[in-house]
Amino acid sequence: MKWHWLERGKGRAGHRLSGTALFSDLGERELRVVEAFAHERQFLPDEVVFDAGEDGQALYVVVSGRVAVIAEGAGDRPLAELVAGEFFGEMGLLDGAPRSAQIRALEPTTLVVLPRTEFDRLMVSHARIASCISLQLARHLGRRLRAMLEIAPAREAS
Amino acid sequence: MSLLRYRAGPLVWSGNILATCLLLFFFQKILWLVVPFILALVLHYLLAPLKLRLLLRGVSHDAAAAMVSVAAFLVCALPVVYGFPRLLGDVAGLHETLLRYIGGGIRLLTDVLSDLEARSAFLAESGARAMLETQLGGFFEHFTEKYLPGIVMGLMVWSPSLLLVPFIAFFMLRDGWRFRRLLLRAVPNAYFERSLALIDAVDRTARQYFVGLLQLTLLDTLCLAAGLWVIGIDGALMLGLLAAVLAWIPFVGSVIGCLLVVLVVATDFPGQPGVAYAAIGLFVAVRLLDDFVFMPVTVGKSLNMHPLVTVLMIFIGGAVAGVPGLMLVLPVLGVVMVLGESAGQLLTDPRLHARHAHAKALELRRVTRDLRID
C-alpha cells in the first residue's frame, strides 16, 4: 500500500490536467482530488465521442490530440476544433439538456472524462474546486457568447 | 441519434422478474457468502462518506480507506472489549432467561384463554387452554435437547463467515473505485457514457435501499424504545432495536418482534394484561407510521415500484428462497430493474451499435495499414 499523503507532491506540472483551461486555477492538491474521480479514454481519428441529442453524462477534457465539434445537419464541416487543454460537454452537465453537437476525434486523441455524478459531487462538496471551475465555466461561456455576437452581424451582412 | 425515450416493455419486465427469482435461488445456495457480502456493502455505504471527505482533502484512495477502516474498527472494538465480560455473563444465563420469558408468555396466553373460556361456553367446551398448555409445555420441555444444540451449531457455523464482513468492507472501500474503473475500461467508447449512467444508477439504488433500511431501523428503534419506556418496560432501547432489526423480514419480522416484546411484558408484569395490550397497540401504531410515513421517505425513495408489484414480489421471494428471499427480494429486484432497463436501452439502440462497429473498423484499418499484399 502506498501512503501517498506522506509522499512529496509530484508538482502541479506532473498532473495530466495541469495544462487544461478548466482546471488552470487549481493547485496541486485540488488537481489530485479531481484526478481521483476522472477516467481516461483513447479515441482513434474519425471516431465519434458522442452524438448530438444524447443525454450528457460527462465532461471531457482534451489531454492530447484534436477533436471537431460538428453541428447536426451541417455536414462534415466542423463548427470548431478543440485541442489539448480545451474541454467540452459542460453544457449537458450545467442545464441537463441533450448534447447540442457531435464530437469527433480528428487524430489519435486522449480525453479525460469527469462523470456527471463526480462533477456534481465536487461542485457540492469542495468549495475551492467548485469556485475555480465555476469561474472558468463562466469565462468560457462568456467567450463563446462574445464570439457568437461577433459572428451574427457578419452573417446578417452577407 | 434518436431522441425517443426508452421505456421498458413486457419482455424486459418478465426478464427482470425471472432474473430476480434465479438470483434469489442462487443466493439461497451461497447464503454464507451473500450475507457477509451484503453486511459489508452496508458497512461500506456507511463509511464511504467519511472516505470521500478525506479524498476531498487530497488524501489518496488507499490512505483514506485505511484511515476510515482503522477508525471504524476502533469505534466497534472498544465497546466489545469493554462489554465482553458482561456479555459472557449474559450468555451463561441465556438458557434460564429464555425459558423464563417463554414461561411468562405461556402464562399470559393461558390467562387470556381462561378469561375467554369464562365468557364463552363454546371455548370452554373445546378445552383450548388445556390443549395449548399440554402442547406448548411439551415443546418447551424438550426445547433444550431438541433445538438449542442446532441453534448453537448454526451460530458457530455462521460466525466465521460473519468475520469476513470487516475484511470485505475494507476492500470495498479501498478497491471499489479500482473495480469500477476496471469495469469501465472494458466498455467500448460507444457505450461508455451509458455505462457510466448504468453503474451510477445501480450504485445509487443499492445505496439508497440499504442506507434507507438503516435509517428506517433507527427511526423504528427510537419510536419503539420511546413507547416501551413510556409503558414502563425495562431495556426499552435494546428491545426496540431487536424488534426493529427483526422488521427487516417483511410481514413476519414485525409479528415476531411484537411477540418478543409481549413475552418480556408478560414475564415482567405478571397478571397485568393491560401492559401487554399497550405494547401490542404500540407495535400496531409504529407499523402504521412505518408504512405511511417512514418507509416512503427512506427505503421508498430507492425503489420506484408499484406497491402491488412490491407485495407480489415479496411473496414470490419467500416462495423461491424462504426467509432470505423475503429479505433480499426488494433490493435484488431494484438492481435487476436498473440493469434490465439499461440493457434494453443499450441493445435496442442501433446508433450505438453502428458507432461501435465504426470504431472497430477504424481500429482494424489502423492495425492492418502496413499489411497489404501487392
Side-chain angles (χ1 to χ4, degrees), chain B residues 1 21-22 35 79 116 139 143 203 205 233 278 282 285 298 366 374:
Chain B
M1 237 186 283
C21 291
L22 285 174
V35 171
L116 286 173
F139 175 76
F143 180 80
D203 185 45
T205 306
I233 296 167
L282 172 72
T298 53
R366 186 181 73 84
D374 295 323

Side-chain angles (χ1 to χ4, degrees), chain A residues 37 39 56-58 93 114-121, chain B residues 45 180 183-184 192-208 335 338-339 342:
Chain A
F37 295 106
H39 301 264
Q57 296 294 342
L93 299 195
L114 193 59
R116 175 192 284 278
T117 25
E118 313 298 4
F119 177 80
D120 291 344
R121 188 175 287 160
Chain B
Y45 283 137
R180 190 187 163 99
L183 275 183
L184 283 168
F192 179 69
E193 279 207 28
R194 297 277 176 92
S195 306
L196 273 180
L198 167 68
I199 290 180
D200 275 344
V202 169
D203 185 45
R204 197 171 46 244
T205 306
R207 190 178 59 239
Q208 281 183 350
V335 169
V338 172
L339 286 172
S342 306

Side-chain angles (χ1 to χ4, degrees), chain B residues 66-367:
Chain B
M67 288 158 89
V68 169
S69 302
V70 168
F73 179 75
L74 288 178
V75 166
C76 297
L78 283 178
V80 170
V81 171
Y82 181 72
F84 194 67
R86 197 182 153 182
L87 189 76
L88 270 181
D90 287 352
V91 168
L94 185 68
H95 180 222
E96 285 77 29
T97 314
L98 201 70
L99 287 181
R100 190 165 68 87
Y101 282 125
I102 289 169
I106 295 172
R107 249 194 325 277
L108 175 76
L109 208 59
T110 49
D111 285 353
V112 170
L113 280 175
S114 302
D115 194 33
L116 286 173
E117 279 178 1
R119 289 161 198 246
S120 154
F122 171 73
L123 274 175
E125 279 171 24
S126 69
R129 186 176 63 90
M131 204 159 66
L132 188 86
E133 271 180 337
T134 317
Q135 291 201 348
L136 284 182
F139 175 76
F140 289 113
E141 203 178 327
H142 304 292
F143 180 80
T144 319
E145 306 97 79
K146 268 190 176 174
Y147 303 102
L148 211 55
I151 294 171
V152 173
M153 279 302 289
L155 283 175
M156 284 175 72
V157 167
W158 271 93
S159 352
S161 64
L162 289 179
L163 286 175
L164 284 174
V165 173
F167 289 101
I168 301 175
F170 170 69
F171 286 114
M172 278 179 176
L173 265 182
R174 203 189 72 163
D175 299 326
W177 67 280
R178 287 195 180 95
F179 180 65
R180 190 187 163 99
R181 280 202 179 165
L182 188 78
L183 275 183
L184 283 168
R185 254 205 304 272
V187 174
N189 284 338
Y191 303 105
F192 179 69
E193 279 207 28
R194 297 277 176 92
S195 306
L196 273 180
L198 167 68
I199 290 180
D200 275 344
V202 169
D203 185 45
R204 197 171 46 244
T205 306
R207 190 178 59 239
Q208 281 183 350
Y209 182 82
F210 288 117
V211 173
L213 196 64
L214 284 183
Q215 289 169 339
L216 190 67
T217 308
L218 184 69
L219 287 170
D220 278 359
T221 305
L222 290 177
C223 288
L224 286 170
L228 293 171
W229 180 73
V230 167
I231 294 170
I233 296 167
D234 284 340
L237 190 65
M238 203 60 213
L239 277 176
L241 177 67
L242 203 59
V245 169
L246 280 168
W248 289 354
I249 310 168
F251 307 130
V252 193
S254 302
V255 177
I256 298 173
C258 183
L259 278 177
L260 196 77
V261 173
V262 169
L263 284 184
V264 173
V265 170
T267 312
D268 290 351
F269 297 88
Q272 296 180 47
V275 184
Y277 296 145
I280 294 170
L282 172 72
F283 263 86
V284 173
V286 172
R287 189 73 256 152
L288 291 173
L289 259 179
D290 231 29
D291 289 343
F292 294 105
V293 183
F294 298 155
M295 200 86 101
V297 296
T298 53
V299 179
K301 280 192 298 187
S302 60
L303 308 168
N304 192 15
M305 253 181 252
H306 193 280
L308 186 65
V309 177
T310 310
V311 173
L312 280 176
M313 283 312 292
I314 288 173
F315 281 118
I316 292 174
V320 172
V323 174
L326 285 175
M327 293 172 78
L328 291 176
V329 67
L330 292 183
V332 171
L333 180 64
V335 169
V336 167
M337 268 168 58
V338 172
L339 286 172
E341 283 200 24
S342 306
Q345 217 170 3
L346 289 175
L347 293 173
T348 55
D349 192 332
R351 175 67 186 175
L352 291 184
H353 298 323
R355 267 171 51 187
H356 178 51
H358 177 241
K360 281 208 306 195
L362 289 173
E363 176 66 10
L364 187 68
R365 193 172 67 187
R366 186 181 73 84
V367 296

